[in-house]
Amino acid sequence: DVKVTQSSRYLVKRTGEKVFLECVQDMDHENMFWYRQDPGLGLRLIYFSYDVKMKEKGDIPEGYSVSREKKERFSLILESASTNQTSMYLCASGTYEQYFGPGTRLTVT
Amino acid sequence: RKEVEQDPGPFNVPEGATVAFNCTYSNSASQSFFWYRQDCRKEPKLLMSVYSSGNEDGRFTAQLNRASQYISLLIRDSKLSDSATYLCVVIPYNQGGKLIFGQGTELSVKP
């Protein structure tokens, strides 16, 4: 059974904090993705990675960075969290068919 | 203009009804098309691919019209369990395999 896991389901952070969201997949996929999902805006791609140590900006990379040190792990970093980064964050891996993790609902206060 | 547009709904239909969703895309060079399903408070999951000739999976039929740049999903004999948000997904040509998601169409099937 394919699996993508995310480090937290719910997270509350303060403005200005550094936030790490971790994602792990067990399918040996080369491609991994980070999205955020907001009502009325749908899923928007933040960053993606085709291979270890490789990263590509998505549509809304501002305020985020990523790290891919191992094939199975893709981390999203909010360098200095802001209230407009309150959202549902979804990690995915795969190519044409993407497998999603359960999501992390991040609230920045 | 959004790259992928869907009517957000909600579509409220009785059990047994037939319901159809449309999705339009702006990039004529798009190469692959899919429908994903997302249940409330859950992650999206692939429902079906959309082939040029149209394809069917049980009660679900997907069609592609490249000339008009739209994709459709038809659900026959709706079940309560079909209640979900249906996401239209497009892969544009030569963008490294990025998936472009529509904002989703919400379906609510009532008894």
Side-chain angles (χ1 to χ4, degrees):
Chain A
D1 196 21
V2 299
K3 210 166 186 182
V4 179
T5 57
Q6 294 183 229
S7 48
S8 306
R9 291 300 299 273
Y10 300 93
L11 211 51
V12 180
K13 295 292 183 180
R14 291 191 180 276
T15 300
E17 278 193 84
K18 191 168 185 175
V19 182
F20 292 88
L21 302 182
E22 301 231 310
C23 174
V24 178
Q25 52 101 358
D26 66 358
M27 294 163 281
D28 203 35
H29 286 152
E30 291 181 344
N31 299 349
M32 295 187 74
F33 304 81
W34 274 107
Y35 298 89
R36 62 178 282 179
Q37 186 172 32
D38 300 286
L41 297 175
L43 277 157
R44 292 181 292 167
L45 182 64
I46 305 171
Y47 265 98
F48 58 108
S49 169
Y50 290 130
D51 203 349
V52 176
K53 297 196 187 293
M54 290 185 65
K55 59 184 179 184
E56 297 281 343
K57 291 181 180 179
D59 300 316
I60 51 163
E62 297 78 21
Y64 303 94
S65 63
V66 290
S67 172
R68 185 118 181 251
E69 295 296 319
K70 293 185 178 182
K71 190 175 185 179
E72 67 270 19
R73 190 178 297 267
F74 191 34
S75 302
L76 180 70
I77 303 150
L78 286 66
E79 297 290 343
S80 177
S82 62
T83 55
N84 64 11
Q85 292 178 311
T86 291
S87 186
M88 171 66 83
Y89 289 88
L90 287 155
C91 173
S93 73
T95 52
Y96 296 118
E97 179 172 5
Q98 289 192 5
Y99 296 88
F100 285 82
T104 295
R105 184 164 294 282
L106 173 67
T107 302
V108 183
T109 62
Chain B
R1 184 185 171 189
K2 289 181 182 176
E3 288 190 73
V4 179
E5 294 204 62
Q6 296 181 249
D7 180 345
F11 284 60
N12 297 304
V13 303
E15 263 187 299
T18 295
V19 61
F21 308 134
N22 286 331
C23 165
T24 58
Y25 59 95
S26 59
N27 186 340
S28 60
S30 296
Q31 59 179 8
S32 301
F33 309 89
F34 305 88
W35 284 101
Y36 275 66
R37 170 191 168 131
Q38 186 172 21
D39 293 310
C40 188
R41 303 185 193 283
K42 298 279 192 176
E43 69 274 19
K45 291 185 180 180
L46 179 66
L47 176 67
M48 59 195 300
S49 303
V50 185
Y51 302 122
S52 297
S53 54
N55 49 297
E56 198 172 295
D57 183 3
R59 297 180 294 108
F60 298 82
T61 300
Q63 292 196 312
L64 167 65
N65 185 320
R66 285 193 184 270
S68 301
Q69 293 180 210
Y70 80 80
I71 306 148
S72 64
L73 178 68
L74 182 78
I75 305 175
R76 290 182 300 278
D77 189 21
S78 300
K79 311 289 185 194
L80 297 176
S81 57
D82 293 335
S83 296
T85 296
Y86 291 84
L87 303 166
C88 173
V89 178
V90 172
I91 299 183
Y93 177 73
N94 211 23
Q95 284 195 32
K98 280 170 54 176
L99 272 62
I100 310 295
F101 285 82
Q103 67 176 50
T105 297
E106 185 184 343
L107 171 66
S108 180
V109 181
K110 308 287 188 187

